Amino acid sequence: MGETSDHVPTIRGRTPIALQAGPSSVPAELISFHGLADRREHLAVRIGKPGRVPLVRLHSECLTGDVFGSLRCDCGPQLHEAIAKIDRAGGYLLYLRQEGRGIGLYNKLDAYRLQDQGLDTFAANRKLGRADDERDYTVAAQMLRSLGVDEIDLLTNNPDKVEQLRGAGIVLRSVFSTDVHSNPDNYRYLKAKVVEARHAIELERAGS
């Protein structure tokens, strides 16, 4: 990628914005950057009043779930859950432009069609000649450092995020799982994440 997580980008701009959180609005700030390792337009969303150890959620872009409310994944509900929890605790949501676990929107839609033929989400990626998960969280570590943050509480079910952030030198004081957002359309997808990628999703306790 050219630069390592030790390179600290600069903040390009800060834009105040109100976010919808259930029936109420949440004041927030969108933070853009210069000099991120992959040159993409990632955003940090400052929500609430971050303390010395803020609550942080790394959320990968999901057009189908975040914007259109697709039931094939749990991305939209996780995004709204994160906004509400970070508002209470104070912290940052890092919105990362890594659609489809890094394979891109069109490839993700191709993978959906393969899933309709019986493949799970990871097998579908492999059928397309892609890796199970191509996301690199170097930029997340860079964003945190540019915000003056080197220790966080992390909201995630994904052990790869934990391992990559720790490998990039970010201290994780605590790791909290998200709620379980299962439905008949995404159950197989969530089950594959548990079985194939060790995600901490307690599907059975949720009654799925």
Side-chain angles (χ1 to χ4, degrees), residues 2-3 10 15 30 55 105 110 123 132 161 163-164 171 180:
E3 288 139 351
T10 56
T15 305
L30 302 183
L55 180 62
L105 177 60
D110 292 341
D132 287 6
K161 291 180 181 178
E163 293 166 8
Q164 286 202 41
V171 176
V180 179

Side-chain angles (χ1 to χ4, degrees), residues 49-56 89-90 92 147-153 171 173:
K49 297 180 179 178
R52 186 187 67 81
V53 183
L55 180 62
V56 173
Y92 299 95
L147 295 166
V149 175
D150 58 14
E151 182 177 1
I152 66 172
D153 290 333
V171 176
R173 182 176 69 176

Side-chain angles (χ1 to χ4, degrees), residues 55-60 73-86 88 93 153-159 161-162 174-182 186 189-190 193-194 198-203 205-206:
L55 180 62
V56 173
R57 166 74 181 167
L58 276 56
H59 187 91
S60 296
C73 64
D74 56 347
C75 300
Q78 281 188 329
L79 177 61
H80 295 297
E81 175 194 352
I83 290 170
K85 287 184 173 177
I86 297 173
R88 292 193 293 270
L93 185 144
D153 290 333
L154 183 65
L155 180 62
T156 189
N157 303 322
N158 186 349
K161 291 180 181 178
V162 173
S174 301
V175 178
F176 302 104
S177 296
T178 71
D179 295 337
V180 179
H181 304 286
S182 64
N186 71 16
Y189 166 74
L190 298 182
K193 291 206 292 186
V194 172
R198 302 179 291 117
H199 283 226
I201 306 172
E202 297 188 33
L203 286 173
R205 193 179 72 175

Side-chain angles (χ1 to χ4, degrees), residues 1-207:
M1 297 171 89
E3 288 139 351
T4 70
S5 59
D6 294 329
H7 170 77
V8 179
T10 56
I11 291 175
R12 176 183 176 276
R14 296 174 178 266
T15 305
I17 190 171
L19 304 177
Q20 189 71 40
S24 59
S25 64
V26 169
E29 184 179 57
L30 302 183
I31 303 169
S32 56
F33 300 87
H34 283 303
L36 292 173
D38 63 4
R39 308 299 187 195
R40 294 182 182 176
E41 294 182 328
H42 306 287
L43 285 175
V45 187
R46 184 184 186 273
I47 305 170
K49 297 180 179 178
R52 186 187 67 81
V53 183
L55 180 62
V56 173
R57 166 74 181 167
L58 276 56
H59 187 91
S60 296
E61 179 181 39
C62 177
L63 179 72
T64 49
D66 297 344
V67 177
F68 296 114
S70 168
L71 296 176
R72 293 189 68 138
C73 64
D74 56 347
C75 300
Q78 281 188 329
L79 177 61
H80 295 297
E81 175 194 352
I83 290 170
K85 287 184 173 177
I86 297 173
D87 181 49
R88 292 193 293 270
Y92 299 95
L93 185 144
L94 304 187
Y95 197 81
L96 306 175
R97 311 302 297 274
Q98 301 184 132
E99 181 80 46
R101 295 200 305 277
I103 69 172
L105 177 60
Y106 284 7
N107 281 320
K108 182 175 81 169
L109 297 179
D110 292 341
Y112 277 176
R113 289 194 292 273
L114 291 172
Q115 290 169 42
D116 289 340
Q117 298 170 24
L119 299 182
D120 68 35
T121 182
F122 300 103
N125 274 25
R126 295 175 206 133
K127 183 76 171 180
L128 293 171
R130 308 302 294 256
D132 287 6
D133 192 335
E134 298 186 4
R135 290 173 293 182
D136 185 326
Y137 299 109
T138 297
V139 290
Q142 290 183 321
M143 293 161 76
L144 290 170
R145 288 203 175 89
S146 72
L147 295 166
V149 175
D150 58 14
E151 182 177 1
I152 66 172
D153 290 333
L154 183 65
L155 180 62
T156 189
N157 303 322
N158 186 349
D160 187 45
K161 291 180 181 178
V162 173
E163 293 166 8
Q164 286 202 41
L165 285 178
R166 283 179 171 155
I170 300 297
V171 176
L172 305 187
R173 182 176 69 176
S174 301
V175 178
F176 302 104
S177 296
T178 71
D179 295 337
V180 179
H181 304 286
S182 64
N183 64 64
D185 291 282
N186 71 16
Y187 180 79
R188 286 182 62 246
Y189 166 74
L190 298 182
K191 190 72 172 180
K193 291 206 292 186
V194 172
V195 173
E196 298 282 344
R198 302 179 291 117
H199 283 226
I201 306 172
E202 297 188 33
L203 286 173
E204 306 311 323
R205 193 179 72 175

